[in-house]
Amino acid sequence: MTFPLLTLTTENLQDATVELCRATNELERSARVLAEVKFELEGQEASLITAGVEGKNEAERKANLRLKLAKKYAELHGAELGAAQARRDVEVARIQLDGLRYQLRLLEVRQGGRA
């Protein structure tokens, strides 16, 4: 996937800044969701372990525990994917904003001072 290089305009600078803020907020939200899902999963695992998980050995007990918590593990996987996408979106937004900043700096240098 390619992203077009933005042309330096006041509007593009403002839009890129807003997008970086939006992406950062989404990253914070998705990180919070991920932490909540992990916390819930750990609590449910602890409850099931203390209640006793059937199995002849550790591997079998672990597999049974995983099966009992399959929905929560799927939720965890979704939260991890959401957080990864949010991190990527922040990086893309940061790169686009940096590109505009570099264009502005180049313009300043070419004009021998401040643009």
Coordinates of all heavy atoms in Angstrom, one line a residue, residues 9 11 13 21 24-25 30 35 43 54 61 64 70 76-77 82 84 87 100 104-105 109-110 113:
T9 N 0.9 22.6 2.1 CA -0.1 23.7 2.2 C -0.5 23.8 3.7 O -0.3 22.9 4.5 CB -1.4 23.4 1.4 OG1 -2.1 22.3 2.0 CG2 -1.1 23.2 -0.1
E11 N -3.5 23.9 4.8 CA -4.6 22.9 5.0 C -4.0 21.5 5.2 O -4.5 20.8 6.1 CB -5.5 22.9 3.9 CG -6.7 22.0 4.1 CD -7.7 22.1 2.9 OE1 -8.0 23.2 2.5 OE2 -8.1 21.0 2.5
L13 N -1.0 20.7 6.3 CA -0.4 20.6 7.6 C -1.4 20.5 8.8 O -1.2 19.7 9.7 CB 0.4 21.9 7.9 CG 1.9 21.9 7.4 CD1 2.5 23.3 7.4 CD2 2.7 20.9 8.1
C21 N -3.4 13.3 15.7 CA -4.1 13.4 17.0 C -5.2 12.3 17.0 O -5.3 11.6 18.0 CB -4.7 14.8 17.2 SG -3.5 16.0 17.5
T24 N -3.5 8.9 17.4 CA -2.9 8.7 18.7 C -4.1 8.5 19.7 O -3.9 7.6 20.6 CB -2.2 10.0 19.1 OG1 -1.1 10.2 18.2 CG2 -1.6 9.9 20.5
N25 N -5.2 9.1 19.6 CA -6.3 8.9 20.5 C -6.8 7.4 20.3 O -7.2 6.7 21.2 CB -7.5 9.9 20.2 CG -7.1 11.2 20.8 OD1 -6.3 11.4 21.7 ND2 -7.7 12.2 20.2
S30 N -7.4 1.8 21.9 CA -7.2 0.3 21.6 C -6.2 -0.3 22.6 O -6.4 -1.5 23.0 CB -6.7 0.1 20.2 OG -5.4 0.7 20.0
A35 N -5.7 -3.9 27.3 CA -5.4 -4.1 28.7 C -6.6 -4.7 29.4 O -6.4 -5.6 30.3 CB -4.9 -2.8 29.3
G43 N -8.2 -13.0 35.0 CA -9.1 -13.3 36.1 C -9.9 -14.5 35.8 O -10.1 -15.3 36.8
E54 N -9.7 -30.0 34.4 CA -9.4 -31.4 34.2 C -8.3 -31.7 33.2 O -8.1 -30.8 32.3 CB -10.7 -32.1 33.6 CG -11.9 -32.1 34.6 CD -13.1 -32.8 34.1 OE1 -12.9 -33.6 33.1 OE2 -14.2 -32.5 34.6
R61 N -4.3 -30.0 30.8 CA -5.0 -29.0 31.6 C -5.0 -27.6 30.9 O -6.0 -26.9 30.8 CB -4.5 -28.9 33.0 CG -4.9 -30.1 33.9 CD -4.4 -29.9 35.3 NE -3.0 -29.9 35.5 CZ -2.2 -31.0 35.6 NH1 -2.8 -32.2 35.6 NH2 -0.9 -30.9 35.8
N64 N -7.4 -27.7 28.0 CA -8.8 -27.6 28.4 C -9.1 -26.2 28.9 O -10.2 -25.7 28.6 CB -9.0 -28.6 29.5 CG -9.2 -30.0 29.0 OD1 -9.6 -30.2 27.9 ND2 -8.8 -31.0 29.8
A70 N -12.1 -20.0 25.0 CA -11.9 -19.8 23.6 C -12.4 -18.4 23.1 O -11.8 -17.7 22.4 CB -12.5 -20.9 22.8
L76 N -9.2 -11.4 22.8 CA -7.9 -10.9 23.0 C -7.2 -10.8 21.6 O -6.5 -9.8 21.4 CB -7.1 -11.9 23.9 CG -5.6 -11.6 24.1 CD1 -5.4 -10.3 24.8 CD2 -4.9 -12.7 24.8
H77 N -7.3 -11.8 20.8 CA -6.7 -11.7 19.4 C -7.2 -10.5 18.7 O -6.4 -9.7 18.1 CB -7.0 -13.0 18.7 CG -6.4 -13.0 17.3 ND1 -5.0 -13.1 17.1 CD2 -6.9 -13.0 16.1 CE1 -4.8 -13.1 15.8 NE2 -5.9 -13.0 15.2
G82 N -6.4 -4.9 16.7 CA -6.8 -3.5 16.7 C -5.7 -2.6 17.2 O -5.5 -1.5 16.6
A84 N -2.4 -3.3 17.0 CA -1.4 -3.3 16.0 C -1.8 -2.3 14.8 O -0.9 -1.5 14.3 CB -1.2 -4.7 15.4
R87 N -1.3 1.3 16.0 CA 0.1 1.6 16.0 C 0.6 2.0 14.6 O 1.3 3.0 14.4 CB 1.0 0.5 16.6 CG 1.0 0.4 18.1 CD 2.0 -0.5 18.6 NE 1.8 -1.9 18.2 CZ 1.0 -2.8 18.8 NH1 0.3 -2.4 19.9 NH2 0.9 -4.0 18.4
L100 N 5.7 16.7 5.5 CA 5.3 18.1 5.4 C 6.3 19.0 6.1 O 6.6 20.1 5.6 CB 3.9 18.3 5.8 CG 2.8 17.7 5.0 CD1 1.4 17.7 5.7 CD2 2.7 18.3 3.6
L104 N 8.6 22.0 4.5 CA 8.7 23.3 5.1 C 10.1 23.7 5.4 O 10.5 24.9 5.1 CB 7.8 23.5 6.3 CG 7.7 24.8 7.0 CD1 7.2 25.9 6.0 CD2 6.9 24.7 8.3
R105 N 10.8 22.9 6.0 CA 12.2 23.2 6.3 C 13.1 23.4 5.1 O 13.9 24.3 5.0 CB 12.8 22.0 7.2 CG 14.2 22.3 7.6 CD 14.3 23.5 8.5 NE 15.7 23.8 8.8 CZ 16.2 25.0 8.7 NH1 15.5 26.1 8.4 NH2 17.5 25.2 8.9
V109 N 15.2 26.7 4.1 CA 16.6 26.7 3.7 C 16.8 27.4 2.4 O 17.7 28.2 2.2 CB 17.1 25.3 3.7 CG1 18.5 25.2 3.1 CG2 17.2 24.8 5.2
R110 N 15.9 27.1 1.4 CA 16.0 27.7 0.1 C 15.8 29.2 0.1 O 16.4 29.9 -0.7 CB 15.0 27.0 -0.9 CG 15.4 25.6 -1.3 CD 14.4 25.1 -2.3 NE 14.8 23.8 -2.7 CZ 14.1 23.0 -3.4 NH1 12.8 23.3 -3.7 NH2 14.5 21.8 -3.8
G113 N 16.2 31.5 5.3 CA 15.8 31.8 6.6 C 14.5 31.1 6.9 O 14.4 29.9 6.7

